[in-house]
Amino acid sequence: MEAKGKTNLLGLTKEQLGDVVEDLGEPRYRAQQIHEWLYARGVTDFRAMTNLAKPFRDQLSRVAVIQGLTPLHQTFSPKDGTTKFLFALSDDLRIESVLIPPATAFRDTEQQEEDEQSRLTLCVSTQVGCPLDCAFCATGTMGFLRNLSAGEIVDQILQVRRLTLRRVTNIVFMGMGEPLLNYDSVMAASGIFTAGAGIAQKRITVSTAGLPDRIRRLGLEKRKIKLAVSLHSAVDATRSRLMPINRRFPLEDLLAAVSEYYEETGQRVTYEVIFFDGVNDTEREVGALIRLARRVPCKINVIPYHSIAFTDPTGIGAGLRPSPRLEELVRRLRDHHLTALVRSSAGEEIDAACGQLAVRLSRSPGERRAVRGLASQSA
Ligand code: SAH
């Protein structure tokens, strides 16, 4: 929150801005105005906050800064319309966000077709690296470096809005990191998205590898944030091989928490499953998945595997191949009256984005300066 002894306002909630404002001897409602400038309008300069008196703006710039991410690079994929954004943090670590067009975004059957067409989903990162080390995930191979602050999470959307001049309607916490391990910042960022950036809570999805206590806590928030669980297998032995976190929190614990989340919120949970050849696409596995899916109202999102061979995975990760039986597996699930959604082949590229975010940590100041120029041009 501090930058050069000054308070960074980016990422502060209305409540926290109220404290800053009050400390400066101004009425608390000024926080509402600042909140709007920061998050609804995305301004980065106190001078632009024209409904605040000049002396107050000067006072603000003496004690506070608006310090966000530095955009480094964006890559548009003409094949599926996704755009990946690479950002530098103030300590020069890197993160990525992915803008996903309507047809291929994380789908939700409850929303209408017309709704689908105007939908623009941003997949945001919550940590630099990740400590969970799932065998199929690129981010895991980086190890864990640190949590993002609420400001670093929120600024991903502000920057993308500024760079593309498009309105983001949905947020998925499916980028780098495990959002529920950075719970407070993720919740603060969600609150800011809703109050300041016009994104309804039901259009925010948190995806987790499965931390039961945090899932329960999310259920008790009394928010409409959606829960997606990266399941990948309904058999403990298999899931533990794919996702080491399952050894600490096996399926029964996870399911108990998911069930409580449902009881509290009445919201269907999404299970994300990548089918791997010979690992979790067998009769026994699919049978177990069908039984598990009957326990709590859910939908199943089948994600095509995107290879992470570029990270040189070892152990089980090295041998993972996508299942050739995808269509048949989805048919089986549907025959059992389960809602199973498959991302289109174009979606594969997106999964690449959402499951493949591993950023090389090399510095490139020249590149950074170049893109900084670009960003200010399009702002
Ligand atoms: N840690 C959270 C969110 C980040 S991963 C979680 O585990 O859910 C976001 C989604 O991408 C998860 O469903 C994850 O299982 C999936 N994913 C990870 N690596 C992938 C890959 N190589 N191909 C396809 N999907 C992947």
Side-chain angles (χ1 to χ4, degrees):
M1 200 188 285
E2 300 282 311
K4 295 176 217 119
K6 296 183 176 184
T7 304
N8 186 6
L9 298 192
L10 207 61
L12 297 192
T13 60
K14 224 173 267 182
E15 202 45 41
Q16 292 167 323
L17 288 171
D19 295 342
V20 172
V21 163
E22 230 169 39
D23 281 351
L24 296 175
E26 289 282 326
R28 260 190 112 78
Y29 71 82
R30 294 259 176 252
Q32 168 63 35
Q33 294 170 305
I34 298 174
H35 194 273
E36 205 173 304
W37 284 115
L38 289 175
Y39 308 122
R41 312 246 191 144
V43 308
T44 55
D45 190 331
F46 294 114
R47 282 171 298 186
M49 302 184 174
T50 48
N51 60 359
L52 305 179
K54 173 117 186 357
F56 180 44
R57 287 189 328 240
D58 292 344
Q59 200 184 5
L60 272 176
S61 52
R62 277 193 297 277
V63 300
V65 288
I66 304 169
Q67 191 196 308
L69 311 169
T70 305
L72 291 183
H73 200 68
Q74 41 174 302
T75 331
F76 176 72
S77 161
K79 192 171 149 202
D80 61 22
T82 62
T83 310
K84 263 205 220 188
F85 299 85
L86 176 69
F87 297 108
L89 309 175
S90 55
D91 51 7
D92 212 31
L93 293 173
R94 312 285 166 91
I95 53 159
E96 285 190 292
S97 318
V98 187
L99 193 61
I100 308 170
T104 48
F106 178 82
R107 291 175 79 88
D108 182 334
T109 43
E110 282 152 27
Q111 286 184 14
Q112 303 296 318
E113 180 61 25
E114 57 199 85
D115 202 59
E116 290 269 326
Q117 286 319 309
S118 58
R119 171 188 300 208
L120 193 59
T121 302
L122 188 68
C123 172
V124 296
S125 293
T126 56
Q127 299 184 313
V128 191
C130 181
L132 297 185
D133 204 24
C134 299
F136 46 83
C137 177
T139 305
T141 64
M142 294 169 66
F144 172 66
L145 291 144
R146 70 169 174 87
N147 278 334
L148 297 186
S149 66
E152 288 165 335
I153 297 174
V154 165
D155 204 33
Q156 295 172 59
I157 171 174
L158 301 181
Q159 294 276 0
V160 166
R161 248 178 15 190
R162 201 172 296 138
L163 290 165
T164 63
L165 300 177
R166 296 175 74 190
R167 198 171 77 87
V168 172
T169 61
N170 292 55
I171 297 291
V172 293
F173 287 101
M174 293 186 189
M176 298 167 77
E178 167 52 48
L180 296 188
L181 283 179
N182 189 10
Y183 193 92
D184 292 341
S185 295
V186 166
M187 285 305 126
S190 302
I192 291 170
F193 287 147
T194 306
I199 295 171
Q201 285 179 348
K202 61 176 200 248
R203 292 169 177 273
I204 299 177
T205 301
V206 170
S207 178
T208 178
L211 302 165
D213 286 351
R214 303 288 168 96
I215 289 173
R216 285 194 184 90
R217 200 167 149 197
L218 184 67
L220 293 170
E221 291 282 344
K222 301 278 174 256
R223 302 194 196 192
K224 298 244 174 290
I225 295 177
K226 293 197 168 157
L227 175 68
V229 175
S230 297
L231 186 66
H232 304 307
S233 173
V235 175
D236 269 313
T238 312
R239 192 166 191 269
S240 293
R241 284 171 70 212
L242 293 170
M243 305 178 72
I245 188 70
N246 192 70
R247 294 187 198 125
R248 233 173 106 199
F249 303 114
L251 286 161
E252 272 315 309
D253 295 359
L254 176 59
L255 259 287
V258 165
S259 165
E260 280 177 45
Y261 169 90
Y262 179 76
E263 293 302 320
E264 284 295 333
T265 62
Q267 305 234 56
R268 276 210 285 177
V269 171
T270 298
Y271 294 120
E272 298 161 282
V273 180
I274 308 171
F275 284 113
F276 298 106
D277 191 18
V279 177
N280 61 355
D281 66 345
T282 61
E283 276 309 303
R284 175 168 175 254
E285 286 278 339
V286 178
L289 178 59
I290 290 167
R291 282 192 301 280
L292 181 148
R294 287 200 181 119
R295 293 178 51 178
V296 182
C298 69
K299 49 206 161 187
I300 299 176
N301 206 348
V302 176
I303 312 178
Y305 179 50
H306 206 288
S307 166
I308 59 160
F310 71 96
T311 65
D312 271 331
T314 52
I316 178 183
L320 294 175
R321 307 277 172 268
S323 171
R325 303 175 52 214
L326 217 61
E327 275 177 39
E328 180 195 332
L329 295 166
V330 170
R331 213 175 314 122
R332 284 260 343 250
L333 297 174
R334 289 183 180 156
D335 285 349
H336 284 83
H337 308 290
L338 295 171
T339 308
L341 306 164
V342 195
R343 288 175 183 172
S344 65
S345 61
E348 225 167 306
E349 290 253 306
I350 297 145
D351 301 320
C354 287
Q356 277 211 318
L357 300 180
V359 179
R360 273 185 296 123
L361 298 170
S362 61
R363 278 156 194 262
S364 172
E367 170 198 41
R368 198 207 276 214
R369 271 193 302 277
V371 182
R372 209 181 263 145
L374 256 182
S376 53
Q377 270 165 35
S378 58

